């Protein structure tokens, strides 16, 4: 699969987040509290499409009703994105002397 820069997976899979991690570390050292929010809609849609789960999605008043199987797939997709971002940011934060990533999944 050849990723293009406009592809949502490009930053996540093709380029290391090392420089972004250094920017986050520098900002934190300057007293800023950094919050990263990762979108996972693209990965979730791909996973649903691959399993033909999109055909079984029910719409109610223009809202998607999610069954237990689909919800599990959404959790897996979001977990993959979070894991990959934390895995790629960890080396640069460690190099900057910040130790490990603090993550909160409330």
């Amino acid at each position: 699969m050849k990723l293009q820069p406009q592809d949502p997976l490009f930053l996540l899979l093709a380029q290391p987040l090392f420089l972004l991690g250094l920017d986050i570390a520098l900002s934190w050292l300057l007293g800023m509290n950094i919050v990263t929010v990762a979108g996972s809609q693209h990965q979730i849609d791909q996973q649903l499409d691959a399993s033909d789960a999109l055909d079984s999605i029910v719409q109610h008043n223009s809202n998607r009703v999610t069954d237990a199987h689909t919800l599990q797939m959404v959790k897996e997709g979001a977990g993959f994105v979070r894991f990959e971002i934390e895995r790629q940011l960890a080396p640069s934060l460690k190099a900057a002397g910040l130790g490990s990533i603090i993550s909160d999944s409330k």
Side-chain angles (χ1 to χ4, degrees):
M1 174 170 79
K2 177 80 169 136
L3 295 174
Q4 301 299 322
Q6 64 272 16
D7 190 328
L9 289 174
F10 184 76
L11 182 63
L12 184 61
L13 298 177
Q15 293 181 338
L17 298 175
F18 189 81
L19 294 177
L20 177 62
L22 291 177
D23 289 342
I24 290 171
L26 177 61
S27 299
W28 185 83
L29 290 171
L30 293 172
M32 296 179 199
N33 292 322
I34 304 298
V35 176
T36 58
V37 179
S40 56
Q41 180 178 356
H42 183 73
Q43 290 80 5
I44 292 168
D45 287 344
Q46 281 185 331
Q47 194 171 5
L48 292 174
D49 191 35
S51 70
D52 295 326
L54 287 175
D55 298 335
S56 64
I57 292 177
V58 178
Q59 296 283 337
H60 178 71
N61 294 334
S62 72
N63 293 318
R64 191 186 297 190
V65 179
T66 306
D67 62 0
H69 176 69
T70 305
L71 183 59
Q72 181 62 33
M73 291 170 57
V74 168
K75 289 178 180 179
E76 289 172 6
F80 167 75
V81 170
R82 177 181 172 185
F83 174 80
E84 280 300 307
I85 290 174
E86 288 182 3
R87 181 184 67 81
Q88 291 185 28
L89 284 177
S92 57
L93 295 179
K94 188 173 182 180
L98 295 182
S100 63
I101 292 177
I102 300 172
S103 63
D104 189 0
S105 59
K106 288 182 183 179

